[in-house]
Amino acid sequence: MTPMVEKDGVRITASAVGYQTIQKWLIGSRVKSKVVTADNNWIIELIGSNNKKSWILWNPTKKVTFNIPKKWDANFIENILGTVTALKESQSVLVQAVPVLITSENLSDNDFKLLLNVDNNTINDGTSTDLILTTMDKNGNNLDLSKAIISYSSSNPLAATVDPINGRVSGINSGATIITVKIEFNSRKIKTAQIDIIVNTIEKLEFIFLN
Amino acid sequence: MDEFLSKGGKNYIDAVAYHFYADVSEDSDANIRLIRMIMDKNGLKNKQLINSEAGTDGRLKGEPDIIAAGYVARQYIINWIDGVSLFNWYQWNNPWE
Protein backbone atom coordinates (compact mmCIF):
# COMPACT_ATOMS: atom_id res chain seq x y z
CA MET A 1 0.00 0.00 0.00
CA THR A 2 1.13 3.51 -0.55
CA PRO A 3 2.08 5.11 2.75
CA MET A 4 1.64 8.79 3.46
CA VAL A 5 4.63 8.92 5.80
CA GLU A 6 8.14 7.56 5.69
CA LYS A 7 9.25 4.81 8.07
CA ASP A 8 9.95 7.34 10.80
CA GLY A 9 6.23 8.15 10.87
CA VAL A 10 7.00 11.86 10.65
CA ARG A 11 8.32 12.85 7.23
CA ILE A 12 5.60 12.82 4.63
CA THR A 13 5.92 11.06 1.27
CA ALA A 14 5.23 12.43 -2.20
CA SER A 15 1.85 10.70 -1.94
CA ALA A 16 0.91 12.89 1.02
CA VAL A 17 2.01 16.00 -0.85
CA GLY A 18 -0.14 14.85 -3.77
CA TYR A 19 -3.06 14.39 -1.41
CA GLN A 20 -2.66 17.97 -0.21
CA THR A 21 -2.46 19.24 -3.77
CA ILE A 22 -5.62 17.55 -5.00
CA GLN A 23 -7.50 18.85 -1.97
CA LYS A 24 -6.74 22.33 -3.25
CA TRP A 25 -7.83 21.33 -6.74
CA LEU A 26 -11.14 19.78 -5.69
CA ILE A 27 -12.51 21.60 -2.66
CA GLY A 28 -14.78 24.43 -3.69
CA SER A 29 -15.12 23.14 -7.27
CA ARG A 30 -17.75 21.10 -9.01
CA VAL A 31 -17.39 18.66 -11.88
CA LYS A 32 -18.73 19.88 -15.19
CA SER A 33 -17.72 16.85 -17.22
CA LYS A 34 -15.63 13.70 -17.29
CA VAL A 35 -14.26 12.52 -20.61
CA VAL A 36 -12.07 9.50 -21.38
CA THR A 37 -10.63 9.83 -24.88
CA ALA A 38 -9.72 7.07 -27.32
CA ASP A 39 -6.10 7.49 -26.18
CA ASN A 40 -7.26 6.83 -22.60
CA ASN A 41 -6.69 10.42 -21.56
CA TRP A 42 -8.85 11.25 -18.56
CA ILE A 43 -10.10 14.83 -18.66
CA ILE A 44 -12.07 16.18 -15.72
CA GLU A 45 -13.44 19.68 -16.23
CA LEU A 46 -14.00 21.66 -13.05
CA ILE A 47 -15.81 24.88 -12.37
CA GLY A 48 -14.43 26.72 -9.38
CA SER A 49 -15.48 29.74 -7.43
CA ASN A 50 -15.95 32.83 -9.63
CA ASN A 51 -16.64 30.39 -12.48
CA LYS A 52 -12.92 29.77 -12.89
CA LYS A 53 -12.38 26.84 -15.23
CA SER A 54 -9.78 24.14 -14.78
CA TRP A 55 -9.08 20.66 -16.11
CA ILE A 56 -7.42 17.68 -14.44
CA LEU A 57 -5.61 15.52 -16.99
CA TRP A 58 -3.87 12.17 -16.82
CA ASN A 59 -3.34 9.00 -18.79
CA PRO A 60 -3.07 5.80 -16.71
CA THR A 61 -1.50 3.67 -19.43
CA LYS A 62 0.88 5.73 -21.57
CA LYS A 63 2.55 9.07 -22.17
CA VAL A 64 0.67 11.18 -24.68
CA THR A 65 1.34 14.64 -26.05
CA PHE A 66 -1.89 16.49 -25.56
CA ASN A 67 -2.73 19.63 -27.49
CA ILE A 68 -4.72 21.91 -25.25
CA PRO A 69 -7.83 23.14 -27.08
CA LYS A 70 -7.65 26.86 -27.83
CA LYS A 71 -11.14 27.35 -26.45
CA TRP A 72 -9.85 26.43 -23.00
CA ASP A 73 -7.91 29.70 -22.99
CA ALA A 74 -5.51 27.99 -20.57
CA ASN A 75 -2.47 29.75 -19.17
CA PHE A 76 -1.14 27.77 -16.18
CA ILE A 77 -0.27 24.16 -15.39
CA GLU A 78 0.20 22.72 -11.89
CA ASN A 79 1.82 19.38 -11.12
CA ILE A 80 0.88 17.00 -8.33
CA LEU A 81 3.48 18.48 -6.02
CA GLY A 82 1.87 21.90 -6.31
CA THR A 83 4.41 23.52 -8.64
CA VAL A 84 2.78 25.96 -11.04
CA THR A 85 4.29 27.08 -14.34
CA ALA A 86 2.98 29.20 -17.16
CA LEU A 87 1.96 27.34 -20.29
CA LYS A 88 4.09 27.96 -23.33
CA GLU A 89 2.64 29.24 -26.55
CA SER A 90 2.72 25.77 -28.10
CA GLN A 91 -0.06 24.81 -25.66
CA SER A 92 0.86 21.13 -25.66
CA VAL A 93 1.59 19.10 -22.55
CA LEU A 94 2.83 15.60 -21.85
CA VAL A 95 0.03 13.68 -20.19
CA GLN A 96 0.98 10.63 -18.13
CA ALA A 97 -0.03 8.63 -15.07
CA VAL A 98 0.43 11.56 -12.70
CA PRO A 99 -2.44 14.06 -12.96
CA VAL A 100 -1.83 17.73 -13.77
CA LEU A 101 -4.16 20.68 -13.42
CA ILE A 102 -4.62 23.08 -16.32
CA THR A 103 -6.18 26.40 -15.39
CA SER A 104 -7.63 29.29 -17.26
CA GLU A 105 -7.13 32.39 -15.21
CA ASN A 106 -8.15 35.64 -16.76
CA LEU A 107 -5.71 37.83 -14.87
CA SER A 108 -5.94 41.55 -15.41
CA ASP A 109 -2.88 43.80 -15.69
CA ASN A 110 -2.97 44.59 -11.99
CA ASP A 111 -3.64 41.04 -10.87
CA PHE A 112 -1.19 38.22 -10.25
CA LYS A 113 -1.03 34.62 -9.15
CA LEU A 114 0.29 34.02 -5.64
CA LEU A 115 1.45 30.65 -4.38
CA LEU A 116 2.80 29.64 -1.00
CA ASN A 117 4.60 26.29 -0.75
CA VAL A 118 6.98 24.48 1.57
CA ASP A 119 9.26 21.48 1.06
CA ASN A 120 7.63 19.62 3.96
CA ASN A 121 4.44 20.67 5.73
CA THR A 122 5.44 18.72 8.83
CA ILE A 123 8.15 20.04 11.16
CA ASN A 124 9.35 19.11 14.62
CA ASP A 125 9.09 21.41 17.60
CA GLY A 126 12.29 23.35 18.05
CA THR A 127 13.00 23.35 14.29
CA SER A 128 12.30 25.88 11.56
CA THR A 129 11.51 25.86 7.88
CA ASP A 130 11.36 28.43 5.10
CA LEU A 131 8.31 28.96 2.92
CA ILE A 132 8.50 29.30 -0.85
CA LEU A 133 6.66 32.31 -2.21
CA THR A 134 5.92 32.45 -5.92
CA THR A 135 4.23 35.24 -7.85
CA MET A 136 3.37 35.32 -11.52
CA ASP A 137 1.72 37.91 -13.70
CA LYS A 138 -0.74 37.05 -16.44
CA ASN A 139 2.14 36.13 -18.77
CA GLY A 140 3.71 33.79 -16.23
CA ASN A 141 6.57 36.17 -15.37
CA ASN A 142 7.76 36.38 -11.77
CA LEU A 143 7.14 39.75 -10.17
CA ASP A 144 9.77 41.96 -8.63
CA LEU A 145 8.78 42.01 -4.97
CA SER A 146 11.60 44.27 -3.76
CA LYS A 147 9.15 47.11 -3.12
CA ALA A 148 6.26 44.96 -1.99
CA ILE A 149 4.86 44.92 1.53
CA ILE A 150 4.87 41.27 2.53
CA SER A 151 3.50 40.12 5.87
CA TYR A 152 3.10 36.64 7.34
CA SER A 153 0.88 35.50 10.21
CA SER A 154 0.16 32.25 12.03
CA SER A 155 -3.37 31.21 13.04
CA ASN A 156 -2.04 29.19 15.98
CA PRO A 157 1.20 30.63 17.42
CA LEU A 158 1.07 28.02 20.19
CA ALA A 159 1.88 25.38 17.54
CA ALA A 160 4.13 27.43 15.25
CA THR A 161 5.16 31.03 14.93
CA VAL A 162 6.14 32.77 11.73
CA ASP A 163 8.51 35.65 11.19
CA PRO A 164 6.20 38.41 9.90
CA ILE A 165 8.85 39.67 7.48
CA ASN A 166 10.75 36.70 6.06
CA GLY A 167 8.15 33.95 6.60
CA ARG A 168 10.43 31.58 8.50
CA VAL A 169 8.21 29.12 10.42
CA SER A 170 9.30 27.78 13.82
CA GLY A 171 7.69 24.78 15.48
CA ILE A 172 6.74 25.44 19.10
CA ASN A 173 4.38 22.68 20.24
CA SER A 174 2.52 19.73 18.76
CA GLY A 175 -0.44 20.99 16.72
CA ALA A 176 -1.42 22.59 13.44
CA THR A 177 -1.52 26.12 12.14
CA ILE A 178 -2.39 27.99 8.98
CA ILE A 179 0.26 30.40 7.76
CA THR A 180 -1.10 33.33 5.76
CA VAL A 181 0.94 35.64 3.57
CA LYS A 182 -0.37 38.98 2.40
CA ILE A 183 1.22 41.00 -0.39
CA GLU A 184 0.62 44.64 -1.29
CA PHE A 185 2.61 46.56 -3.87
CA ASN A 186 2.29 49.21 -6.51
CA SER A 187 -1.17 49.42 -7.96
CA ARG A 188 -1.69 45.70 -8.00
CA LYS A 189 -4.43 43.87 -6.13
CA ILE A 190 -3.80 42.84 -2.54
CA LYS A 191 -3.42 39.07 -2.51
CA THR A 192 -3.24 36.44 0.21
CA ALA A 193 -2.27 32.77 0.20
CA GLN A 194 -2.25 30.14 2.91
CA ILE A 195 -0.52 26.91 3.80
CA ASP A 196 -1.04 24.34 6.57
CA ILE A 197 1.86 23.48 8.86
CA ILE A 198 1.83 20.53 11.27
CA VAL A 199 4.17 20.42 14.24
CA ASN A 200 5.25 17.16 15.86
CA THR A 201 6.73 16.92 19.31
CA ILE A 202 9.86 14.85 19.60
CA GLU A 203 10.05 12.96 22.87
CA LYS A 204 13.09 14.02 24.81
CA LEU A 205 15.04 11.30 26.57
CA GLU A 206 16.28 12.01 30.03
CA PHE A 207 19.32 10.15 31.31
CA ILE A 208 19.94 9.67 35.00
CA PHE A 209 23.37 8.43 35.98
CA LEU A 210 23.44 6.32 39.10
CA ASN A 211 26.60 5.79 41.09
CA MET B 1 -24.98 -7.24 -2.06
CA ASP B 2 -27.91 -7.08 -4.48
CA GLU B 3 -29.45 -10.17 -2.86
CA PHE B 4 -28.95 -8.80 0.64
CA LEU B 5 -30.56 -5.48 -0.24
CA SER B 6 -33.43 -6.93 -2.26
CA LYS B 7 -34.37 -9.43 0.46
CA GLY B 8 -34.94 -6.69 3.00
CA GLY B 9 -31.47 -5.65 4.11
CA LYS B 10 -32.07 -2.24 2.57
CA ASN B 11 -34.52 -1.50 5.39
CA TYR B 12 -31.84 -1.82 8.04
CA ILE B 13 -28.91 0.20 6.71
CA ASP B 14 -27.91 3.85 6.90
CA ALA B 15 -25.20 3.72 4.24
CA VAL B 16 -23.26 1.29 2.08
CA ALA B 17 -19.57 0.79 2.83
CA TYR B 18 -17.32 -0.94 0.34
CA HIS B 19 -13.59 -1.54 -0.12
CA PHE B 20 -12.82 -0.26 -3.60
CA TYR B 21 -9.34 -1.75 -4.00
CA ALA B 22 -8.05 -1.68 -7.55
CA ASP B 23 -4.73 -2.56 -9.15
CA VAL B 24 -5.31 0.34 -11.52
CA SER B 25 -6.99 3.38 -10.01
CA GLU B 26 -9.36 3.74 -12.94
CA ASP B 27 -10.88 0.31 -12.23
CA SER B 28 -12.48 1.94 -9.18
CA ASP B 29 -14.58 4.05 -11.52
CA ALA B 30 -16.50 1.08 -12.94
CA ASN B 31 -16.69 -0.64 -9.54
CA ILE B 32 -18.11 2.42 -7.79
CA ARG B 33 -20.68 2.95 -10.51
CA LEU B 34 -21.67 -0.75 -10.33
CA ILE B 35 -22.30 -0.55 -6.57
CA ARG B 36 -24.16 2.71 -7.02
CA MET B 37 -26.31 1.09 -9.70
CA ILE B 38 -27.20 -1.78 -7.32
CA MET B 39 -28.06 0.76 -4.62
CA ASP B 40 -30.24 2.75 -7.02
CA LYS B 41 -32.00 -0.41 -8.20
CA ASN B 42 -32.91 -1.16 -4.58
CA GLY B 43 -34.23 2.29 -3.84
CA LEU B 44 -31.14 3.53 -2.03
CA LYS B 45 -30.40 6.47 -4.32
CA ASN B 46 -30.24 8.86 -1.38
CA LYS B 47 -28.09 6.70 0.87
CA GLN B 48 -24.42 7.47 1.19
CA LEU B 49 -21.79 5.28 -0.46
CA ILE B 50 -18.60 5.07 1.60
CA ASN B 51 -15.23 3.77 0.47
CA SER B 52 -14.19 2.59 3.89
CA GLU B 53 -10.84 1.24 2.73
CA ALA B 54 -8.69 1.37 -0.39
CA GLY B 55 -5.10 1.92 -1.42
CA THR B 56 -2.61 1.04 -4.11
CA ASP B 57 0.72 -0.72 -4.25
CA GLY B 58 2.50 1.91 -6.30
CA ARG B 59 5.43 2.39 -4.00
CA LEU B 60 5.90 -1.27 -3.16
CA LYS B 61 6.10 -2.17 -6.83
CA GLY B 62 9.29 -0.16 -6.95
CA GLU B 63 7.82 2.69 -8.87
CA PRO B 64 9.05 6.24 -8.28
CA ASP B 65 7.46 8.23 -5.46
CA ILE B 66 5.85 10.58 -7.93
CA ILE B 67 4.00 7.70 -9.61
CA ALA B 68 2.69 6.59 -6.21
CA ALA B 69 1.51 10.15 -5.63
CA GLY B 70 -0.29 9.94 -8.96
CA TYR B 71 -2.09 6.77 -7.85
CA VAL B 72 -3.28 8.44 -4.67
CA ALA B 73 -4.48 11.49 -6.56
CA ARG B 74 -6.29 9.46 -9.21
CA GLN B 75 -8.05 7.35 -6.58
CA TYR B 76 -9.30 10.42 -4.75
CA ILE B 77 -10.36 12.21 -7.91
CA ILE B 78 -12.30 9.19 -9.16
CA ASN B 79 -14.02 8.63 -5.80
CA TRP B 80 -14.89 12.31 -5.68
CA ILE B 81 -16.36 12.58 -9.16
CA ASP B 82 -18.34 9.36 -8.64
CA GLY B 83 -20.03 10.81 -5.56
CA VAL B 84 -18.40 8.69 -2.84
CA SER B 85 -19.16 10.42 0.46
CA LEU B 86 -16.09 9.36 2.39
CA PHE B 87 -12.83 7.64 1.43
CA ASN B 88 -10.44 6.16 3.98
CA TRP B 89 -6.94 5.73 2.58
CA TYR B 90 -5.31 2.49 3.71
CA GLN B 91 -3.19 3.62 5.20
CA TRP B 92 -1.32 6.52 6.74
CA ASN B 93 1.76 4.58 7.81
CA ASN B 94 1.33 1.20 6.20
CA PRO B 95 4.41 -0.97 6.76
CA TRP B 96 6.74 -1.03 3.80
CA GLU B 97 7.94 -4.58 4.10
Side-chain angles (χ1 to χ4, degrees):
Chain A
M1 309 307 162
T2 310
M4 296 287 189
V5 286
E6 301 286 355
K7 275 184 177 174
D8 60 13
V10 175
R11 289 174 298 128
I12 59 175
T13 61
S15 295
V17 177
Y19 176 75
Q20 292 169 340
T21 302
I22 58 162
Q23 273 194 75
K24 287 190 286 183
W25 293 359
L26 299 179
I27 292 175
S29 297
R30 62 183 170 83
V31 177
K32 185 178 180 191
S33 64
K34 178 190 87 178
V35 173
V36 181
T37 67
D39 276 343
N40 205 19
N41 291 332
W42 285 61
I43 305 171
I44 313 297
E45 183 176 357
L46 305 174
I47 304 290
S49 56
N50 302 325
N51 288 324
K52 189 177 84 174
K53 286 185 179 178
S54 57
W55 296 262
I56 300 174
L57 297 179
W58 76 90
N59 189 309
T61 48
K62 58 187 174 184
K63 295 179 180 177
V64 175
T65 300
F66 179 80
N67 294 314
I68 297 171
K70 274 207 175 329
K71 66 179 180 182
W72 287 13
D73 199 21
N75 45 6
F76 293 104
I77 181 169
E78 180 173 353
N79 71 15
I80 201 67
L81 301 180
T83 303
V84 178
T85 50
L87 281 167
K88 296 194 174 96
E89 282 181 10
S90 60
Q91 295 275 298
S92 65
V93 293
L94 187 66
V95 177
Q96 49 190 326
V98 184
V100 293
L101 181 77
I102 308 284
T103 54
S104 171
E105 296 194 43
N106 190 18
L107 297 177
S108 59
D109 286 342
N110 72 336
D111 201 355
F112 60 100
K113 194 170 178 67
L114 173 63
L115 298 156
L116 190 60
N117 288 303
V118 67
D119 283 338
N120 192 331
N121 291 60
T122 304
I123 61 173
N124 295 328
D125 60 347
T127 68
S128 297
T129 188
D130 289 314
L131 302 177
I132 304 160
L133 187 65
T134 309
T135 54
M136 273 181 272
D137 65 14
K138 66 177 185 179
N139 298 314
N141 298 319
N142 296 119
L143 298 171
D144 176 9
L145 297 176
S146 57
K147 292 181 179 171
I149 302 168
I150 305 174
S151 58
Y152 293 87
S153 60
S154 169
S155 68
N156 182 10
L158 294 175
T161 58
V162 62
D163 185 300
I165 307 298
N166 64 24
R168 189 164 180 76
V169 179
S170 299
I172 306 298
N173 285 301
S174 179
T177 187
I178 300 169
I179 304 296
T180 301
V181 62
K182 180 180 176 186
I183 295 190
E184 303 173 61
F185 71 123
N186 297 335
S187 57
R188 290 185 186 270
K189 287 184 177 177
I190 296 172
K191 301 281 274 192
T192 61
Q194 294 182 321
I195 193 165
D196 296 331
I197 297 289
I198 297 161
V199 181
N200 283 315
T201 299
I202 300 296
E203 284 188 30
K204 294 169 181 67
L205 296 175
E206 193 170 301
F207 294 95
I208 300 172
F209 295 95
L210 301 173
N211 290 323
Chain B
M1 191 178 93
D2 190 21
E3 187 180 0
F4 164 76
L5 295 176
S6 62
K7 288 185 173 175
K10 64 182 180 183
N11 298 316
Y12 301 95
I13 63 168
D14 297 313
V16 171
Y18 201 91
H19 291 183
F20 288 105
Y21 279 100
D23 287 338
V24 179
S25 300
E26 288 65 29
D27 289 348
S28 301
D29 183 49
N31 294 336
I32 292 168
R33 285 189 284 117
L34 174 64
I35 296 298
R36 179 56 81 183
M37 189 182 73
I38 293 170
M39 289 172 66
D40 291 356
K41 178 185 155 194
N42 286 281
L44 300 178
K45 198 177 181 77
N46 296 322
K47 294 285 186 189
Q48 292 191 357
L49 175 58
I50 293 168
N51 186 355
S52 50
E53 188 181 309
T56 46
D57 292 338
R59 186 137 187 185
L60 295 183
K61 286 177 182 168
E63 295 191 68
D65 287 357
I66 193 72
I67 297 294
Y71 280 165
V72 174
R74 285 154 49 197
Q75 286 264 18
Y76 269 94
I77 294 165
I78 288 167
N79 276 259
W80 189 72
I81 61 179
D82 285 340
V84 171
S85 303
L86 182 143
F87 177 10
N88 293 324
W89 186 258
Y90 190 83
Q91 65 181 6
W92 174 254
N93 60 344
N94 202 69
W96 296 55
E97 290 80 14

